[in-house]
Amino acid sequence: GQSLEQPSEVTAVEGAIVQINCTYQTSGFYGLSWYQQHDGGAPTFLSYNALDGLEETGRFSSFLSRSDSYGYLLLQELQMKDSASYFCAVRDLGGKLIFGQGTELSVKP
Amino acid sequence: ETGVTQTPRHLVMGMTNKKSLKCEQHLGHNAMYWYKQSAKKPLELMFVYSLEERVENNSVPSRFSPECPNSSHLFLHLHTLQPEDSALYLCASSQDPTGTATPEQFFGPGTRLTVL
């Protein structure tokens, strides 16, 4: 079977750092993506890791460890506008994306 | 604006109705997707079209019927739906999903469907 696990909710304060973890069990693996979805909006692409290590894009970074079937999204200098749902997604060998159930991030003042 | 549009944004239909959802992408992509998003559940992939050919049908009931007349347009025809089909239906597009490029998918805003 294929499954991805991530926490359902995370709460943090403005200016803080938060890490959203994702573990996966899939029959094929080609890379790990992260998407952000604001309430009522479309999911938007944040990052993609095909190889082990850390990818940094501004305030957001994403990490992958293929040997541990684990990745995380790191959000720094949190802002209120970062309140949203964050989904990890595994790209399988056929190119499909298999999504986790999403982590709802609430940023408090 | 992601370059992917969907109409209608909201749809209420009875179980005996027939309706269609429309998706259009203006990004020059060659793959298009239908997803179902229910509350507190992962996005569920329904159909994938690559170069206008259906390459994936994830055991979706036949009351959902996709159509891809060209690489820019994707439809989802609905008939005799059930109340449990109420959900947000998202369309997405990307470059060749089997290629080596970053597999970024661009999503439309979705159609919020309610089946009475």
Side-chain angles (χ1 to χ4, degrees), chain A residues 52-66:
Chain A
D52 287 357
L54 190 68
E55 296 276 346
E56 297 181 66
T57 309
R59 294 187 297 114
F60 293 3
S61 304
S62 58
F63 172 82
L64 175 65
S65 168
R66 294 170 69 122

Side-chain angles (χ1 to χ4, degrees), chain A residues 71-92:
Chain A
Y72 65 72
L73 180 70
L74 190 73
L75 299 86
Q76 303 182 74
E77 300 172 23
L78 280 176
Q79 301 175 10
M80 297 295 290
K81 67 178 182 179
D82 297 328
S83 293
S85 292
Y86 292 84
F87 296 87
C88 59
V90 163
R91 182 191 188 192
D92 71 9

Side-chain angles (χ1 to χ4, degrees), chain A residues 27-107:
Chain A
S27 56
F29 179 85
Y30 210 177
L32 186 71
S33 297
W34 288 92
Y35 284 77
Q36 177 193 62
Q37 185 180 27
H38 285 99
D39 203 26
T44 55
F45 174 83
L46 292 176
S47 68
Y48 175 68
N49 295 68
L51 303 174
D52 287 357
L54 190 68
E55 296 276 346
E56 297 181 66
T57 309
R59 294 187 297 114
F60 293 3
S61 304
S62 58
F63 172 82
L64 175 65
S65 168
R66 294 170 69 122
S67 59
D68 295 321
S69 299
Y70 163 76
Y72 65 72
L73 180 70
L74 190 73
L75 299 86
Q76 303 182 74
E77 300 172 23
L78 280 176
Q79 301 175 10
M80 297 295 290
K81 67 178 182 179
D82 297 328
S83 293
S85 292
Y86 292 84
F87 296 87
C88 59
V90 163
R91 182 191 188 192
D92 71 9
L93 297 180
K96 295 196 320 271
L97 289 181
I98 303 158
F99 283 83
Q101 82 274 19
T103 297
E104 189 173 341
L105 172 64
S106 297
V107 181

Side-chain angles (χ1 to χ4, degrees), chain B residues 30 32 48-56 68:
Chain B
N30 53 26
M32 297 187 77
V48 180
Y49 277 83
S50 182
L51 298 171
E52 299 156 44
E53 285 194 26
R54 192 190 312 179
V55 296
E56 187 80 28
C68 187

Side-chain angles (χ1 to χ4, degrees), chain B residues 44-99:
Chain B
E44 300 171 49
L45 180 64
M46 300 175 73
F47 301 104
V48 180
Y49 277 83
S50 182
L51 298 171
E52 299 156 44
E53 285 194 26
R54 192 190 312 179
V55 296
E56 187 80 28
N57 177 347
N58 266 8
S59 303
V60 179
S62 59
R63 57 185 184 270
F64 295 92
S65 175
E67 179 190 0
C68 187
N70 55 61
S71 60
S72 299
H73 294 86
L74 186 65
F75 295 89
L76 188 63
H77 304 299
L78 315 171
H79 65 96
T80 59
L81 293 193
Q82 304 297 312
E84 60 263 29
D85 297 322
S86 298
L88 181 68
Y89 288 85
L90 290 159
C91 171
S93 72
S94 74
Q95 292 294 2
D96 178 11
T98 61

